[in-house]
Amino acid sequence: MIRPDLLALTPDALAALANRGLVKRAVKELDAGAVPVLGTDPDGAVQGEFPDGTTTTLPPNTILDAARCSCGAAGVCRHRIAVVLAYQRTQEAGAPAELWSPGAVTDDDLTALMGERTLRRARRAFQAGYRARLRRPTAEDRTAQAELPTCTVTFLVPGDLSYVHTDAVNRDEATALAVWAFREADALGTDTVDVGGSPTTATDLTAVTDLLDQLLLDGATNASEVLDVAWQRLHRDLTAQRLHWPASVITDLLAQLTAYRRRSADYEAQRFAALLTELHARTTATGPRAEVLGFDEPAETPLRRVRLTALGARLRSAITADVFFASGDVVLVHRDTPLRTGQKLAAANVVSESATRSASRVVTLKTSRVAKTSLTPVGTSWDDLPQALVIDDYDAAAAHLADLPPRQVRARVEAELVRVVRVSEVTEVAYDPAAQRLTATLHHTSPSTQNHRSQCVLEATHRAVAPHALDALATALRANPTTITGTIRRHRGTLVVDPLAVRTDAGVVVPDLAPGTTPQPLPPGVTTSDPLSAAVDGALLVLADAAHRGLDNLTDSLLARVREVAAHLHRTGLRTAAAQVTAFADGPAAATWLRAHLRLLVTADAR
């Protein structure tokens, strides 16, 4: 009896069920001659006996960690993996199976797997609605994957639901939601789908609008602390309704007001203005609820067992950092990590049995006597990351960014645009002392794109919190890097990368966490003039000043500046933006300010 489920388990699938180290060890032992003696009983169970006497049995319709092994290891051990690999070596390669979609699974199949009670709980989440991003099987990778709001579900073996891997605690519910997402996507012929729920944001957010208008009229300079109580109450109400994105904006708004009152450098007038406009956009936009207002999921979801690959870190202050991790096709961020811990995590593989993931993709790692977190060096893990996180065609990545909706109404997730960029060559490394910016041109020739050679720009700006970052980055760029992780954006049709970490033959360098190094002599860079950017940035600065002061406190001189920037916008060809800024100058009000500022923000992102 042939076991197609065992034949379908690729090394990547086995690594998902265990870890890559165990897979490599099992392969090494098999190659060294420690091959188990295999047998198959009439029921289809594959048995393996090792030279040391260890016996392992892999019954059909049973996932590996539930199989029997006399070694006593909890979970998947190297013996179970070795039996799978040895069994595959004894079978002749047959014709490749047809590509399969989890959407083919019926509700009767799901009921047989998890029972009607569990399926009813999953249906409640379906009725509330959620968004899923799907990766379909290909000839090279026959696994199917669904990224749900709070977890990722991977179907490792076509047609066999016993080989479903997810980091969610409620595995069966997540499996059902993923199946329904594939079923909907198969019908629509798309890879991103809104499942169940209401297709539009039909939510009454009048309270948000009223408070927003009042704050805009008062400005940061005159905002009453009494009004903070109303904002906090509104935040609790939105969170209870699982409207995570506007609730998150309110959190950031209150943080900005607190920073201003404390005269902290964390307050930024342009950031304050952008948050006001984003809150307005989310309360007035119509579209998928999951994108505009938030996933109808708990604010935090516990993860059963999560494997993370660090992608670098960004210092937030002298003592805390954000550490970025790849988890399947998703990038998560560990916020406000103490510096000493961040230095350990920033270039490590992490396996945690006690972690939570928020709706905005913030992961919290905990340790206890029962559930521990282990770290190993990142090594070559960047070579095995999912293709969805990897950029090897810069032009295609820039085109993808151009197609995204405005960020003011996109899902408000952390590290949304952190990616892994493959690099063949680095040229034109330079430093602009006026802008305190290091730039370089990255080149890559990818066999997967028929040897298409593309190029993009790397930009890193000096920040006082990380004084040695640019020197460490310059040293790494001269060492022939092969991979750079960072946040990507698009400027005038070109992909731009803000680096987080660089991998060279000597290892991974995290510039923000690098110790003091010898200053690197670099050729001077040149700041190029961009009239469109200058006009938009100038207008944003003036409108931010208006919001900072409050629309009830505008002076004639400030309104004159508003008209000046409107004229500048008109001269550069941005006539619609100019008209809306002029309308605000002629009739200063919350509605005209919000309309003009939103237009400018969208224009700035589209440059």
Side-chain angles (χ1 to χ4, degrees):
M1 177 179 178
I2 302 297
R3 287 284 300 277
D5 57 329
L6 300 184
L7 296 178
L9 288 172
T10 65
D12 287 339
L14 291 170
L17 295 172
N19 61 65
R20 202 162 296 279
L22 278 180
V23 176
K24 290 181 177 179
R25 181 177 178 183
V27 171
K28 184 177 180 180
E29 291 180 351
L30 289 176
D31 292 341
V35 180
V37 177
L38 300 180
T40 304
D41 65 21
D43 294 331
V46 175
Q47 301 163 344
E49 183 175 351
F50 291 82
D52 62 0
T54 301
T55 58
T56 304
T57 303
L58 307 181
N61 303 316
T62 303
I63 200 165
L64 289 187
D65 58 5
R68 299 188 301 274
C69 184
S70 64
C71 73
V76 180
C77 62
R78 74 179 192 276
H79 300 104
R80 294 174 172 93
I81 295 173
V83 170
V84 172
L85 295 174
Y87 179 78
Q88 291 175 352
R89 294 183 181 188
T90 64
Q91 302 297 317
E92 296 183 2
E98 294 183 4
L99 298 183
W100 169 81
S101 170
V105 176
T106 66
D107 283 359
D108 289 340
D109 296 331
L110 293 175
T111 303
L113 174 71
M114 61 190 68
E116 184 59 40
R117 183 177 180 181
T118 300
L119 199 60
R120 280 199 301 269
R121 291 200 301 267
R123 286 196 181 102
R124 285 197 292 270
F126 174 86
Q127 291 167 0
Y130 58 97
R131 166 159 287 200
R133 291 180 173 85
L134 310 177
R135 178 168 58 78
R136 300 178 182 279
T138 64
E140 295 75 26
D141 182 359
R142 296 186 176 274
T143 61
Q145 191 171 76
E147 180 200 333
L148 303 179
T150 53
C151 67
T152 301
V153 181
T154 307
F155 298 85
L156 301 175
V157 175
D160 192 337
L161 295 183
S162 61
Y163 284 97
V164 174
H165 177 262
T166 178
D167 49 15
V169 172
N170 299 318
R171 174 180 176 272
D172 288 341
E173 290 182 38
T175 300
L177 295 174
V179 166
W180 292 331
F182 270 101
R183 192 181 299 169
E184 182 77 12
D186 291 345
L188 298 176
T190 182
D191 291 334
T192 300
V193 63
D194 294 297
V195 189
S198 171
T200 59
T201 56
T203 303
D204 183 10
L205 297 171
T206 306
V208 178
T209 303
D210 294 342
L211 283 175
L212 177 62
D213 289 349
Q214 185 60 53
L215 181 56
L216 188 50
L217 294 174
D218 293 340
T221 59
N222 298 290
S224 170
E225 294 188 42
V226 175
L227 204 60
D228 289 0
V229 177
W231 281 111
Q232 291 164 1
R233 185 186 309 114
L234 178 59
H235 179 275
R236 288 195 298 270
D237 292 343
L238 293 174
T239 301
Q241 298 175 60
R242 297 185 176 181
L243 304 178
H244 300 300
W245 306 155
S248 177
V249 178
I250 291 173
T251 298
D252 291 348
L253 263 178
L254 291 175
Q256 284 291 298
L257 290 174
T258 300
Y260 175 75
R261 291 164 185 156
R262 294 176 178 174
R263 299 300 185 264
S264 168
D266 291 336
Y267 174 76
E268 299 176 13
Q270 288 187 271
R271 171 68 173 157
F272 175 72
L275 290 169
L276 292 172
T277 302
E278 181 183 350
L279 190 56
H280 162 71
R282 293 191 184 278
T283 56
T284 57
T286 58
R289 179 192 190 279
E291 286 288 294
V292 180
L293 296 178
F295 308 122
D296 195 348
E297 295 285 339
E300 286 192 343
T301 300
L303 303 179
R304 181 180 58 179
R305 192 167 189 254
V306 62
R307 297 175 180 84
L308 308 171
T309 299
L311 301 178
R314 175 61 39 85
L315 276 177
R316 293 174 60 85
S317 70
I319 58 174
T320 61
D322 288 349
V323 183
F324 299 88
F325 296 102
S327 175
D329 285 354
V330 182
V331 177
L332 306 177
V333 59
H334 191 23
R335 297 292 301 274
D336 296 329
T337 310
L339 184 57
R340 180 174 298 180
T341 302
Q343 290 171 333
K344 298 176 183 178
L345 294 176
N349 289 315
V350 179
V351 177
S352 178
E353 298 175 351
S354 180
T356 59
R357 169 178 164 170
S358 76
S360 58
R361 295 184 187 170
V362 174
V363 63
T364 302
L365 302 174
K366 304 175 183 178
T367 58
S368 68
R369 292 183 179 179
V370 176
K372 297 182 179 181
T373 298
S374 61
L375 306 180
T376 57
V378 72
T380 60
S381 296
W382 287 5
D383 293 337
D384 303 311
L385 292 172
Q387 194 58 37
L389 298 182
V390 177
I391 293 177
D392 55 12
D393 185 340
Y394 305 156
D395 297 335
H400 170 71
L401 293 179
D403 292 336
L404 292 177
R407 59 186 171 87
Q408 289 77 21
V409 290
R410 289 206 304 268
R412 205 172 199 265
V413 297
E414 303 286 347
E416 176 194 17
L417 297 177
V418 171
R419 293 292 183 269
V420 178
V421 181
R422 303 297 187 205
V423 181
S424 300
E425 183 183 9
V426 179
T427 62
E428 301 175 0
V429 180
Y431 177 71
D432 181 355
Q436 292 188 297
R437 182 182 301 121
L438 185 149
T439 60
T441 301
L442 308 181
H443 306 264
H444 187 58
T445 303
S446 174
S448 63
T449 56
Q450 298 180 345
N451 293 322
H452 170 64
R453 184 175 177 85
S454 55
Q455 69 180 44
C456 69
V457 176
L458 177 144
E459 285 188 0
T461 303
H462 172 75
R463 297 183 305 125
V465 72
H468 308 296
L470 294 190
D471 288 326
L473 177 60
T475 301
L477 292 177
R478 287 174 166 172
N480 299 320
T482 58
T483 308
I484 296 175
T485 66
T487 303
I488 61 171
R489 60 185 176 87
R490 176 179 172 270
H491 180 67
R492 304 187 73 175
T494 300
L495 186 70
V496 180
V497 182
D498 182 4
L500 293 169
V502 182
R503 190 179 79 175
T504 68
D505 290 340
V508 173
V509 176
V510 182
D512 271 23
L513 304 182
T517 57
T518 304
Q520 300 296 304
L522 294 171
V526 178
T527 302
T528 58
S529 175
D530 185 349
L532 286 176
S533 296
V536 173
D537 291 344
L540 285 171
L541 186 63
V542 174
L543 289 189
D545 192 14
H548 169 72
R549 300 186 188 192
L551 303 187
D552 281 346
N553 308 293
L554 299 180
T555 62
D556 291 340
S557 61
L558 180 55
L559 290 175
R561 289 172 56 202
V562 173
R563 291 189 172 88
E564 289 176 6
V565 296
H568 191 187
L569 288 167
H570 191 274
R571 288 194 299 272
T572 56
L574 300 173
R575 293 185 174 85
T576 302
Q580 293 182 349
V581 173
T582 301
F584 167 65
D586 293 340
T592 54
W593 185 92
L594 289 166
R595 194 177 301 117
H597 196 251
L598 179 58
R599 179 75 185 195
L600 290 170
L601 288 177
V602 173
T603 302
D605 289 343
R607 289 179 295 186

